[in-house]
Amino acid sequence: MLDVQACIADNPFYVLELSPDCGRAEVEREGRKLLGMLELGLGQAATYPTPLGPQTRTADKVRVAMAQLVDPAARLQLELWARIPADASILEAGFDASIDAGGWNGARAALGWGR
Amino acid sequence: MDFAVQVLVALVFFFTALGLLVMRAGLAGKIRMDGSPGMLFALLASLCLDVAVSMLAVSVISLTFVVPRPQLLYLADLMCLVMLFPYPFTRFVLVPLGAAQFAFDFARLSHWRFWNDRTAGGVAMAAWASLRSKKAETARLEQFLASSVAFYPDEGRGWAFLRRLLPRSRRVNALLAAGLLAAARDDFEGARALLKQIAREPLDGRDRTARALAVEWLCADGAERGDWREVMALSMGFSFPHTPLTLFLGCAALRIVGDERAPGEAELERAWRRSGCAAATAPLYERARGPRRRSVPSYVPSRADGGGDLGRALAGQLALSRGTPARPAAALVQVARAWERALEAPEMARALAGRASDLGVPTAVPVLDEVRAQVEEQLGAIALRDGVRLDDLEAGGALLARVGRRIRGEMLGQLDDAIQRITARVEDDRRLPGAVEMGELEALVEQYMAIGKFGGLETRGVAFASMHAPICAWAVWLFNERRQKRVGNAIFRFLWREAFILEDPAALELQSRNVRAGT
């Protein structure tokens, strides 16, 4: 099943704030830097932007993100999701509830053919 | 007239009429419509009783005009009117009250409305009353219908000139009854199939009432589903007589669809006022009167703030996951198409292939396949949650068609497993208490109905074909060896009902005999 949380909110590229085509060394460097900042309790490392809105960054998330990017095949799939820019927003899309539903809900009952 | 004499007249009238009505109702249930001399005698007797009751009623009403103070006779008059006009009394009093048993008894008296198929007509009116009551009890009516009406083994026998007296199709009232019973069980798909079969029966003026009621139900059902084109077609069809309500629904449908034949506001208002239920149809009238609305809303954002096709697909998917939209099928199709655009785009394949090469991965195909599988799985779960049907999925593009086929296969597979479990139990003679057997049947029927609801009549037919023989064997085992007649009968009734809906004559004949044997 498609887990949007895992694909987007916990996507390693968003967690590490890296572009999908970054190199392995860049991942290591950025990961270590973020771990250090989190250890020092720096506010600017506490959150990261995603298309689902800002998410909380923890040391565990950073370690998991670094580990996830080791396997090239797994990384390829994560890159696919990270193609959506972190500053894009997919949160606001919703259905227009005011639009007519088409059918007449409760027609059978109203017309004497139901309870 | 003296008060004591009035009481005497009223009592004599009451008991005489009651006796005649009981005789007539009893006779109506016994007439075998086979064109035999016995049928002629029974019909003549029935007619004599009709005339006797009518004359009695007219006499009492006449008496009211000659007696100086006929207070008590007014009561008798009321009863007379009910006896003279059993159908309006049934339709406008007993059906809205949900009094199924009384509706059955009174409708069977209506020679004019249901001609010589009054038993089926009675079941139809009782089923309609069941539709209106909070507690629908359809099993007894269905047993009655299956065992005495819907299957006519005597077709073609008897005297030819008598057969000509019979309605051209004696299935019409039975179809109406079975359709309304299906609706009372909330099996709207089955009800629709049965009532639509009426359109294919040969036209006969004596079926007017059944046809008019069938088309009215179908129009109400179409309005509920938002299938305004069907409402339009039904209300304009020539093979059905129409009630004022059907005509109004047709006018409203024409305006909602925006058809060029749509009536003007004045004509629409006239149809609305004549519909017989102006208060109940007021919301529809207002809607039909107003400007035409956008038919299908957009469920996928036209742009997802820089997210591209993938962002739009994910945005739609997220919105779908949060709750059921007003038009689930349309929303699902739009989201699936957005996924197709995102995942099938050549740029996406090229970009991923390039990255696979950079990372040393032999091919990017499995990645896309994996994402597609995840998306399909999630769209399938949403389709089941929102009750989106197989035909909507099949019409929604390649991705959704795959989702539909997978769900259909899984559902049929699960049903087969359940049937095999039951068959193995019957073969091993593993006996369960009656209540547990009934529970097994209910679970199986629920599973079967879910397949029908998702896959429509065609898939329901496939499921029925695979289950008919083993489930019938289960019922026979329960009926003959286990003496669990109640459960056995319930299974026979279920199989009879499905054979009727799916138009399987061999199964219908077999199950009619089985139901009759269990009566």
Side-chain angles (χ1 to χ4, degrees), chain B residues 108-129:
Chain B
R108 280 211 300 178
L109 300 175
S110 182
H111 189 92
W112 179 249
R113 289 286 175 168
F114 296 113
W115 185 235
N116 293 327
D117 236 356
R118 282 177 287 170
T119 306
V123 176
M125 298 309 278
W128 191 2

Side-chain angles (χ1 to χ4, degrees), chain B residues 422-439:
Chain B
I422 290 170
T423 305
R425 198 162 59 72
V426 172
E427 282 169 359
D428 300 345
D429 200 23
R430 273 181 278 140
R431 300 173 175 220
L432 296 174
V436 182
E437 296 277 13
M438 189 57 106

Side-chain angles (χ1 to χ4, degrees), chain A:
Chain A
M1 193 91 74
L2 188 69
D3 184 350
V4 179
Q5 183 71 18
C7 296
I8 303 293
D10 297 340
N11 189 298
F13 292 102
Y14 297 136
V15 174
L16 301 175
E17 292 188 56
L18 290 170
S19 71
D21 54 356
C22 66
R24 178 72 206 147
E26 224 173 324
V27 171
E28 287 296 322
R29 194 167 53 246
E30 193 63 26
R32 273 199 296 276
K33 187 182 97 185
L34 286 169
L35 285 172
M37 288 167 79
L38 286 167
E39 208 167 323
L40 292 171
L42 294 179
Q44 65 195 91
T47 60
Y48 58 94
T50 75
L52 289 174
Q55 306 287 320
T56 310
R57 184 186 279 128
T58 62
D60 275 349
K61 263 192 183 177
V62 175
R63 282 190 205 98
V64 169
M66 290 168 72
Q68 278 181 315
L69 295 182
V70 172
D71 176 16
R75 175 179 166 147
L76 195 59
Q77 188 169 342
L78 294 165
E79 281 186 13
L80 179 107
W81 302 117
R83 292 168 66 84
I84 305 171
D87 57 355
S89 174
I90 59 171
L91 251 187
E92 297 309 313
F95 300 141
D96 185 353
S98 66
I99 291 171
D100 206 291
W104 177 11
N105 206 10
R108 288 190 209 98
L111 300 176
W113 290 105
R115 291 171 198 105

Side-chain angles (χ1 to χ4, degrees), chain B residues 168-410:
Chain B
R168 289 173 67 193
S169 163
R170 277 141 53 205
R171 277 165 46 88
V172 172
N173 286 315
L175 282 167
L176 174 70
L180 294 183
L181 281 174
R185 285 192 312 272
D186 291 343
D187 173 16
F188 300 121
E189 177 86 24
R192 219 171 290 137
L194 284 163
L195 296 180
K196 280 183 180 171
Q197 281 184 42
I198 292 180
R200 299 204 302 270
E201 296 297 318
L203 274 176
D204 190 309
R206 288 166 287 194
D207 298 330
R208 283 182 63 83
T209 302
R211 286 174 189 272
L213 293 180
V215 78
E216 192 178 299
W217 186 90
L218 286 168
C219 282
D221 175 64
E224 175 117 23
R225 290 181 293 117
D227 193 346
W228 296 108
R229 290 192 183 277
E230 181 169 290
V231 176
M232 201 172 78
L234 283 165
S235 66
M236 292 169 67
F238 291 106
S239 60
F240 285 106
H242 300 117
T243 61
L245 177 58
T246 308
L247 290 173
F248 165 66
L249 290 174
C251 289
L254 281 165
R255 284 186 63 104
I256 289 170
V257 168
D259 193 275
E260 58 185 16
R261 295 161 293 181
E265 281 202 23
E267 199 182 334
L268 179 75
E269 189 181 346
R270 232 183 350 263
W272 173 58
R273 292 200 183 283
R274 286 176 186 165
S275 69
C277 43
T281 51
L284 181 64
Y285 169 64
E286 289 302 327
R287 181 176 166 187
R289 210 163 59 124
R292 201 181 161 204
R293 304 195 185 182
R294 189 149 48 114
S295 57
V296 181
S298 176
Y299 292 103
V300 175
S302 53
R303 61 183 191 87
D305 285 348
D309 283 340
L310 200 61
R312 280 201 291 277
L314 263 179
Q317 180 93 38
L318 268 177
L320 268 187
S321 310
R322 284 193 209 111
T324 302
R327 290 197 187 189
L332 203 65
V333 168
Q334 288 179 18
V335 173
R337 289 203 191 280
W339 275 117
E340 278 177 353
R341 273 195 303 277
L343 298 178
E344 311 298 338
E347 312 86 70
M348 171 70 85
R350 267 199 303 275
L352 274 181
R355 286 298 298 150
S357 158
D358 294 346
L359 293 168
V361 177
T363 170
V365 174
V367 171
L368 276 174
D369 285 349
E370 168 78 8
V371 172
R372 245 181 241 122
Q374 289 174 357
V375 167
E376 283 175 15
E377 199 181 342
Q378 182 135 34
L379 290 178
I382 291 168
L384 286 177
R385 182 200 69 186
D386 295 348
V388 179
R389 293 159 43 91
L390 178 63
D391 44 8
D392 288 326
L393 296 180
E394 283 180 334
L399 193 151
L400 274 190
R402 278 198 301 277
V403 171
R405 280 197 297 274
R406 187 176 54 76
I407 296 176
R408 181 181 185 270
E410 280 172 8

Side-chain angles (χ1 to χ4, degrees), chain B residues 425-505:
Chain B
R425 198 162 59 72
V426 172
E427 282 169 359
D428 300 345
D429 200 23
R430 273 181 278 140
R431 300 173 175 220
L432 296 174
V436 182
E437 296 277 13
M438 189 57 106
E440 287 247 307
L441 172 65
E442 282 166 6
L444 191 76
V445 170
E446 197 176 323
Q447 205 176 347
Y448 173 84
M449 294 309 291
I451 292 175
K453 200 172 171 192
F454 172 72
L457 279 187
E458 195 191 336
T459 310
R460 192 163 163 171
V462 172
F464 181 69
S466 71
M467 84 187 307
H468 180 247
I471 297 306
C472 188
W474 177 33
V476 170
W477 176 68
L478 285 167
F479 199 90
N480 292 338
E481 292 183 32
R482 299 280 319 280
R483 300 283 162 203
Q484 293 283 356
K485 296 200 169 189
R486 196 171 72 90
V487 191
N489 253 333
I491 299 174
F492 290 141
R493 271 202 313 275
F494 163 67
L495 293 174
W496 171 83
R497 179 200 312 159
E498 290 306 308
F500 205 0
I501 290 171
L502 298 165
E503 300 182 68
D504 183 337

Side-chain angles (χ1 to χ4, degrees), chain B residues 128-151:
Chain B
W128 191 2
S130 288
L131 264 175
R132 302 289 296 269
S133 74
K134 285 197 170 63
K135 197 177 162 201
E137 288 180 9
T138 56
R140 199 176 55 80
L141 289 170
E142 197 170 69
Q143 179 87 14
F144 193 79
L145 185 69
S147 59
S148 61
V149 179
F151 176 59

